[in-house]
Amino acid sequence: MSEFDLKITGGTIATSAETFEADVAVRGTQIVAIGSDLGDADRVIDASGKYVLPGGIEAHCHIEQESSSGIMTADDYYSGSVSAAFGGNTCIVPFAAQHRGQTLKDVLETYHGRASSKSVVDYSFHLIVSDPTEDVLHKELPKAIEDGITSFKIYMTYDRLIVDDEQMLDIFAVAKRHGALTMIHAENNAMIKWMSGKLVETGHDAPKYHALSHPRTAESEAINRAIALAGFVDAPILIVHVSTEAGARIIAEARYDGRKVFGETCPQYMFLNAEQMDLPGMHGAKLCCSPPLRDRASQEEIWRCLQNGTFQVYSSDHAPYRFDESGKLNAGPTPAFPKIANGLPGIELRLPLLFSEGFMKGRITLSHFAALAAGNVATIYGMDHRKGSITLGRDADIAIWDPEVQRVVNAEDLHDNMDYTPYEGMEITGWPTTVIQRGQVIIEDNELHVERGAGEFVPRRTIDLTAMPGRVAPELDPAHNFGVDLDL
Ligand code: DUC
Ligand code: ZN
Ligand code: ZN
């Protein structure tokens, strides 16, 4: 009998902290040795000339989720997870969306049912909270957190999802008390509605006008407000899908002040711009997402904020709606832009795009790539005891990247259930050719080697906020408020 089940030899390993040459050995589901001259193994993978990196964790994706207007995403947990795996991911954290009137218990049961029988990679969920009733706040959210769902998203826009400032404070206070992280879709609802109304009234209802209807200031105003509200109760927040430099600066400044604030951006804000929406007919609908694409200068600014660490998280925001009546054209063949489903696909290309344009072109180091692919997300979302690094004792979730592979993006080559990709025609250098999940090779030779349902639910821990001091607002501090203790 061999000492190990699997050994990966000759590769260059990267974690968020360092890059080094070594062999990796796996027994069962875990990494058990890293070094040279390790013992023999049942199977040896030669990774000479390749990079041995943590399996990606895609922490912002919409899979088998009904939008607030009832449109189902094109990907279910099978196609979505297969596409994620082909893109070098071994774990996904999609949303379990509460629509108003639903209990969180029912929502989570539904999503566990959807994922457990289909996902080929490990998974967790972030809740979307749209109806913060007393029960939700004081019973259901604490229970969900206890069960390992330690993050939830709220929306500052969309009529059917929006929570107002007072509700945000309620949610932040619960998150603070129980150690959860609130993710925020930060856009000013009134500005979007006002601009959309003006544009449509004046006949500007083609898809490209969607980009104008969500002004940059709508994002920065909402980010500012979210940070002020969360900062008041000293609760940790993560601003998702940041599209503007103004928004990024507010996040950077809050972090400079020690506030408990994280930032995320997405490939669409680095690789695409609104000029590309100026297409004939409805084709611009393929690029309608919220926040919208901005301009070329903004792409460079978002890159810079990724490089300088303002964004710790880089996610696809995969929100797959096909260019047909099941998705983008759900409201008819020529809907005005406010009726077009929002979102772009990108779960398979998130990492190849960053590897190619970021690491291979010298914009980020390999360690920074590993951090953005998996390490940062594992830490921020409470999975780093199991995932996100090539480290002894962690799950053997590994993606072997071949820097020699050259590909031109073509929607037909992707494994999602979409009929287009916004990245069509882009040239990519480097690809994850072997993907290993908990010691099992799941992708090799361009083929899937895993059954549906092989992925497991990963209960997550609460967030570690060491080195993020935050502050107590004087009005909430008994030393400065006549001794009032609100026991938040
Ligand atoms: N927000 C998301 O996070 N994804 C898709 C659309 C949206 O508004
Ligand atoms: Zn959002
Ligand atoms: Zn999203």
Side-chain angles (χ1 to χ4, degrees):
M1 211 176 103
S2 314
E3 193 175 347
F4 303 113
D5 297 320
L6 173 68
K7 198 165 62 161
I8 303 164
T9 60
T12 299
I13 299 173
T15 66
S16 306
E18 54 197 351
T19 298
F20 54 97
E21 323 268 301
D23 301 342
V24 183
V26 175
R27 199 178 302 123
T29 60
Q30 289 189 343
I31 296 169
V32 293
I34 300 171
S36 54
D37 300 322
L38 304 177
D40 59 346
D42 288 349
R43 172 151 192 217
V44 177
I45 297 177
D46 178 10
S48 307
K50 304 201 174 91
Y51 296 111
V52 179
L53 305 181
I57 305 175
E58 168 61 86
H60 184 156
C61 52
H62 303 265
I63 297 189
E64 209 166 334
Q65 181 195 325
E66 295 92 353
S67 73
S68 56
S69 42
I71 307 174
M72 186 54 124
T73 54
D75 281 310
D76 68 5
Y77 271 85
Y78 185 67
S79 60
S81 65
V82 169
S83 189
F86 274 99
N89 298 286
T90 50
C91 187
I92 54 176
V93 192
F95 294 94
Q98 180 200 32
H99 297 297
R100 294 204 177 123
Q102 292 180 322
T103 65
L104 300 187
K105 178 171 176 288
D106 286 350
V107 171
L108 285 170
E109 261 171 34
T110 301
Y111 280 86
H112 273 294
R114 289 174 179 176
S116 65
S117 57
K118 293 181 212 147
S119 187
V120 302
V121 296
D122 288 352
Y123 57 91
S124 179
F125 308 108
H126 312 286
L127 277 161
I128 287 175
V129 178
S130 65
D131 198 2
T133 60
E134 283 295 301
D135 243 29
V136 164
L137 288 170
H138 301 297
K139 294 195 183 128
E140 294 214 276
L141 274 176
K143 170 80 171 81
I145 296 165
E146 207 179 293
D147 291 343
I149 315 277
T150 52
S151 50
F152 30 86
K153 182 178 177 190
I154 58 173
Y155 285 79
M156 297 174 77
T157 185
Y158 295 131
D159 286 344
R160 294 193 183 92
L161 294 172
I162 188 169
V163 286
D164 65 24
D165 293 1
E166 199 176 337
Q167 291 172 315
M168 287 172 74
L169 286 168
D170 279 338
I171 291 167
F172 293 151
V174 170
K176 158 102 182 150
R177 177 183 270 264
H178 297 277
L181 177 65
T182 309
M183 305 157 75
I184 302 180
H185 180 124
E187 287 190 287
N188 178 298
N189 193 46
M191 274 188 203
I192 295 169
K193 284 172 92 165
W194 188 86
M195 267 302 271
S196 300
K198 298 280 174 230
L199 286 163
V200 172
E201 264 164 47
T202 52
H204 300 95
D205 66 356
K208 65 184 174 199
Y209 298 115
H210 169 78
L212 307 185
S213 71
H214 289 236
R216 289 159 175 77
T217 313
E219 180 173 271
S220 47
E221 185 283 323
I223 291 177
N224 207 33
R225 184 157 36 102
I227 291 175
L229 294 169
F232 178 56
V233 296
D234 196 27
I237 55 171
L238 188 150
I239 311 290
V240 294
H241 49 49
V242 177
S243 67
T244 59
E245 194 211 28
R249 273 183 190 274
I250 299 167
I251 293 168
E253 191 166 331
R255 289 175 61 81
Y256 183 82
D257 289 342
R259 300 296 182 94
K260 299 173 170 110
V261 179
F262 301 91
E264 176 203 73
T265 195
C266 311
Q268 50 269 39
Y269 307 117
M270 295 153 62
F271 298 101
L272 304 171
N273 62 70
E275 276 173 36
Q276 296 167 283
M277 299 177 73
D278 195 3
L279 296 170
M282 293 305 294
H283 285 274
K286 294 175 183 170
L287 294 177
C288 283
C289 59
S290 293
L293 305 181
R294 307 295 181 183
D295 58 14
R296 282 171 194 276
S298 169
Q299 289 178 251
E300 288 311 310
E301 290 159 0
I302 295 296
W303 263 108
R304 202 181 68 238
C305 296
L306 190 84
Q307 289 171 307
N308 69 22
T310 302
F311 302 125
Q312 303 75 44
V313 180
Y314 163 80
S315 308
S316 71
D317 195 3
H318 183 72
Y321 298 108
R322 292 169 67 97
F323 187 59
D324 63 23
E325 64 290 343
S326 72
K328 293 285 181 188
L329 307 180
N330 189 267
T334 54
F337 71 79
K339 297 229 174 304
I340 296 171
N342 268 290
L344 307 184
I347 201 164
E348 193 162 338
L349 294 173
R350 170 184 82 111
L351 293 178
L353 285 167
L354 186 67
F355 188 89
S356 181
E357 291 292 312
F359 170 60
M360 294 299 284
K361 292 202 173 159
R363 284 165 154 144
I364 57 171
T365 63
L366 195 62
S367 274
H368 198 174
F369 177 81
L372 291 166
N376 289 357
V377 157
T379 307
I380 291 170
Y381 290 119
M383 315 169 93
D384 54 352
H385 55 299
R386 281 191 51 189
K387 309 229 169 252
S389 189
I390 311 278
T391 299
L392 293 183
R394 301 276 174 93
D395 287 359
D397 292 350
I398 298 168
I400 303 176
W401 286 73
D402 183 347
E404 302 286 321
V405 175
Q406 305 265 359
R407 284 175 68 160
V408 176
V409 173
N410 177 343
E412 282 175 17
D413 295 337
L414 302 177
H415 299 81
D416 58 13
N417 190 28
M418 285 296 293
D419 52 356
Y420 76 92
T421 167
Y423 306 101
E424 186 78 31
M426 279 189 68
E427 290 174 16
I428 290 193
T429 304
W431 201 270
T433 45
T434 303
V435 180
I436 298 160
Q437 177 181 244
R438 281 181 282 106
Q440 190 194 350
V441 174
I442 62 169
I443 304 282
E444 195 170 40
D445 299 329
N446 254 315
E447 277 182 22
L448 185 71
H449 296 273
V450 65
E451 295 302 312
R452 58 172 64 220
E456 289 178 2
F457 174 67
V458 183
R460 292 182 287 120
R461 296 183 174 174
T462 53
I463 187 166
D464 180 349
L465 294 166
T466 307
M468 299 187 96
R471 59 159 206 151
V472 183
E475 298 82 358
L476 294 172
D477 182 355
H480 297 99
N481 70 359
F482 310 110
V484 176
D485 184 357
L486 292 179
D487 189 29
L488 291 177

